[in-house]
Amino acid sequence: EVQLVESGGGLVQPGGSLRLSCTASGFTFSGYPMTWVRQAPGKGLEWVSSIRSEGSTYYPDSVKGRFTISRDNAKNTLYLQLNSLKTEDTGMYYCTKGYYTGLAPLSQGTQVTVSS
């Protein structure tokens, strides 16, 4: 059974930083691309970043240059470094196995709130 557990969210002021983690189990983590998505209050899912198994990374323009996705295949862990946070980055952040499909995540997510 695939299990993904996100952590690291919190309340941060605009311009601040957070590091999210996602611990994976139930599949061969190193063999799959991984993705972060988010959902702002009252809005749909938004793709945030993806990383291939060998480390190539992809970002939408909305977060490029501010967010950094990475992975530690030895620890079965996915990361997302969030810098220069803006109020519009507020939302629930989820990690997903594979590339973005638009389907609702099955994990609990971690809440990021950017507010002064």
Side-chain angles (χ1 to χ4, degrees):
E1 178 188 1
V2 172
Q3 288 195 333
L4 299 166
V5 180
E6 302 92 342
S7 62
L11 173 63
V12 62
Q13 293 186 339
S17 298
L18 284 173
R19 189 193 196 202
L20 309 184
S21 299
C22 168
T23 302
S25 61
F27 65 102
T28 305
F29 178 78
S30 60
Y32 288 87
M34 295 293 294
T35 292
W36 286 98
V37 298
R38 67 186 179 187
Q39 187 165 25
K43 297 189 176 180
L45 279 175
E46 178 187 9
W47 171 60
V48 173
S49 182
S50 295
I51 185 168
R52 295 180 64 176
S53 56
E54 91 287 7
S56 299
T57 58
Y58 307 90
Y59 306 92
D61 288 343
S62 58
V63 307
K64 193 176 294 182
R66 299 189 300 119
F67 292 6
T68 303
I69 189 172
S70 62
R71 64 193 297 162
D72 186 334
N73 289 335
K75 295 183 178 180
N76 287 356
T77 302
L78 179 72
Y79 302 101
L80 186 67
Q81 179 69 41
L82 292 69
N83 295 331
S84 303
L85 281 161
K86 305 176 181 180
T87 55
E88 53 263 43
D89 294 318
T90 293
M92 190 70 77
Y93 284 68
Y94 303 89
C95 64
T96 64
K97 173 175 169 269
Y99 292 113
Y100 178 59
T101 62
L103 296 176
L106 299 177
S107 53
Q108 295 296 310
T110 187
Q111 177 68 39
V112 172
T113 302
V114 185
S115 175
S116 55

